[in-house]
Amino acid sequence: MKKIGILGSTGSIGTQTLEIVRNNPDLEVCALAAGSNAALLEEQIREFSPGAAALWDEEAAAELRLKVKDTPTRILSGMEGLLEIAQMDEMEVLVTAIVGMIGIKPTIAAIEAGKTIALANKETLVTAGHLIIPLAAERGVSILPVDSEHSAIFQSMQGENRERISKILLTASGGPFRGRRRDDLTEITVEDALKHPNWSMGKKITVDSATLVNKGLEVIEAKWLFGVEPEKIQVVVHPQSIIHSMVEYADGAIMAQLGMPDMKLPIQYALFYPDRRPMQGKRVDFFELSTLTFEKPDTQTFRGLAMAYEALREGGSMPTVFNAANERAVSLFLERRIRFLEICDLIQGAMENHKTMARPCVEEILQAQAQACDYINGRMSR
Ligand code: NAD
Ligand code: MG
């Protein structure tokens, strides 16, 4: 039996993780956590009988506690709840599928408690990678990537000497607006931005894919996961999303992982690594596909990607500001309070406004986040 916990169990990655649990009887769920979807969390509690479950929202947690009185599951809430879940004694692997920087503290807590991390929550690594990676090394904890590109890179590194890596080729679908110019993007609605061509995901990451900020976050995530400098990470637009990423070695050989776009594969790979469990689903049919194509990313139109490289080169607290400004701007866009193109304008403004701290601790990371949000809120009220 492998005992797992899931932060963000009601979301896109969380629910797909639970599908994998349904298909693998040797996985047991011992803890779940979600933001506010009490109805779905209740269903999950009844199906998987975890020892504990947490809701961020205190009131919703209090209501849920009454509703599931007949079950043995303890109901927790707020940050305290997330931290307790992250450190539960019996849990071996924590799937971090929560969205945003809120994942920093629970992820650190889980590493301190020696839990293996199956990491989907990229915002945590982008902002606190300089703390998390050394801490995991010190505690002998594995961080296994769930993000499809990083899983592909990781799979392409098995049995290889990492010193011989010459380049990481991070593939990108290009999102729903690939090929369009800035002028074509002024009237983009929330509905347009939420139509991703190849993947069905949570709203925030879907918008991030449309701005290419997601690819920028992934470049930073790759730097931390694989210890590769930004110059060695190249983004390649590959609209079919069949090649999930590649690694080029010193002799020119390129290793890649291919498959249908289905997040269950990287999630399951992280849960059973180094085993590769069977999985049902459509297979790649090369005759049906016939062509795989590649393009250079258009960083003039999609400035989010260029700004991510800038933030990464600057280092310190700048990736936090890049990420925090994006989190705030995307939620404003989803609330229809700003236009699509303003997301990157706000990120740029927040970065220009920030004085970098070289090696921020968790509290300083959260301060930098608050400053970025204040900056954006200030611009909104003007
Ligand atoms: P989602 O919006 O579908 O789900 C987010 C989950 O986090 C939900 O269960 C929500 O309840 C929970 N949550 C949000 N705030 C919370 C809080 N304060 N406390 C507790 N729980 C909270 O998002 P998603 O698409 O599943 O993405 C999750 C993470 O995985 C993100 O960091 C995303 O970038 C990353 N990721 C997702 C995909 C994908 O295919 N969806 C692929 C790669 C990486
Ligand atoms: Mg990805």
Side-chain angles (χ1 to χ4, degrees):
M1 256 323 161
K2 193 176 246 185
K3 299 191 172 168
I4 71 165
I6 308 172
L7 300 182
S9 65
T10 57
S12 160
I13 295 287
T15 52
Q16 293 182 85
T17 305
L18 289 171
E19 264 184 67
I20 292 166
V21 174
R22 287 189 190 101
N23 294 329
N24 290 277
D26 55 342
L27 285 178
E28 186 182 320
V29 176
C30 58
L32 296 171
S36 55
N37 190 345
L40 182 53
L41 188 61
E42 180 180 350
E43 277 177 37
Q44 294 177 345
I45 290 170
R46 295 193 181 281
E47 181 177 354
F48 297 97
S49 309
L55 269 182
W56 179 255
D57 190 288
E58 309 263 346
E59 266 176 48
E63 265 175 50
L64 183 63
R65 199 167 291 128
L66 292 176
K67 282 202 176 142
V68 298
K69 262 204 329 257
D70 58 316
T71 73
T73 304
R74 279 187 309 127
I75 303 298
L76 311 168
S77 68
M79 182 53 79
E80 247 173 70
L82 291 180
L83 294 175
E84 195 174 329
I85 295 256
Q87 300 202 308
M88 267 180 65
D89 274 347
E90 57 272 37
M91 183 178 71
E92 296 160 58
V93 183
L94 180 66
V95 181
T96 61
I98 204 168
V99 56
M101 292 173 65
I102 192 83
I104 295 175
K105 285 184 176 174
T107 305
I108 290 178
I111 296 171
E112 278 174 343
K115 312 298 183 191
T116 299
I117 308 290
L119 185 133
N121 175 220
K122 63 189 86 183
E123 297 89 350
T124 280
L125 214 50
V126 165
T127 55
H130 60 287
L131 304 175
I132 285 173
I133 297 299
L135 180 67
E138 187 192 308
R139 299 292 156 106
V141 159
S142 308
I143 299 186
L144 301 166
V146 166
D147 210 345
S148 58
E149 294 78 2
H150 304 74
S151 175
I153 293 163
F154 184 59
Q155 292 178 58
S156 303
M157 285 181 176
Q158 296 306 309
E160 300 287 350
N161 178 355
R162 288 195 183 192
E163 314 251 297
R164 298 293 189 205
I165 293 171
S166 58
K167 205 197 255 180
I168 284 182
L169 296 145
L170 188 73
T171 53
S173 70
F177 310 132
R178 181 176 58 88
R180 297 215 209 164
R181 312 310 295 258
R182 196 175 159 85
D183 288 349
D184 309 327
L185 298 176
T186 47
E187 304 298 325
I188 291 300
T189 63
V190 170
E191 289 71 23
D192 297 329
L194 288 180
K195 274 187 217 128
H196 194 278
N198 305 336
W199 298 98
S200 156
M201 310 178 285
K203 284 186 181 167
K204 191 255 175 189
I205 184 175
T206 305
V207 175
D208 289 351
S209 301
T211 54
L212 288 204
V213 165
N214 180 54
K215 212 43 62 179
L217 295 171
E218 291 185 353
V219 168
I220 305 176
E221 185 186 9
K223 183 231 142 83
W224 288 118
L225 281 172
F226 308 116
V228 173
E229 289 314 304
E231 312 73 63
K232 289 190 168 179
I233 307 172
Q234 185 181 11
V235 173
V236 177
V237 175
H238 163 49
Q240 297 81 14
S241 298
I242 294 294
I243 301 179
H244 297 307
S245 279
M246 310 178 255
V247 182
E248 185 193 279
Y249 291 91
D251 60 354
I254 294 173
M255 308 300 283
Q257 186 252 327
L258 285 72
M260 296 305 288
D262 181 348
M263 284 308 296
K264 287 199 292 301
L265 192 153
I267 300 170
Q268 180 171 290
Y269 188 77
L271 289 176
F272 292 104
Y273 174 79
D275 194 7
R276 195 182 276 288
R277 284 281 173 95
M279 201 169 88
Q280 299 297 313
K282 191 167 163 22
R283 301 306 197 226
V284 174
D285 177 338
F286 286 97
F287 301 126
E288 194 183 303
L289 272 175
S290 87
T291 45
L292 296 178
T293 60
F294 306 94
E295 298 166 16
K296 232 181 177 172
D298 171 4
T299 51
Q300 298 279 322
T301 307
F302 301 98
R303 285 180 301 140
L305 182 55
M307 288 191 288
Y309 274 99
E310 240 174 77
L312 183 53
R313 281 190 203 102
E314 169 83 14
S317 52
M318 198 52 97
T320 290
V321 172
F322 170 77
N323 176 75
N326 179 61
E327 285 189 27
R328 181 75 191 117
V330 170
S331 67
L332 289 168
F333 172 68
L334 289 171
E335 290 164 24
R336 298 171 205 273
R337 291 173 59 197
I338 61 168
R339 287 169 176 266
F340 181 73
L341 287 174
E342 284 177 280
I343 297 173
C344 285
D345 295 345
L346 290 174
I347 299 173
Q348 186 178 347
M351 283 173 63
E352 283 167 4
N353 184 56
H354 180 66
K355 207 167 159 307
T356 306
M357 292 177 265
R359 242 195 141 272
C361 63
V362 172
E363 289 319 315
E364 288 166 329
I365 290 170
L366 300 179
Q367 264 171 33
Q369 176 189 30
Q371 275 170 16
C373 291
D374 287 349
Y375 165 82
I376 292 180
N377 295 341
R379 263 182 62 161
M380 294 299 293
S381 58
R382 251 184 260 149

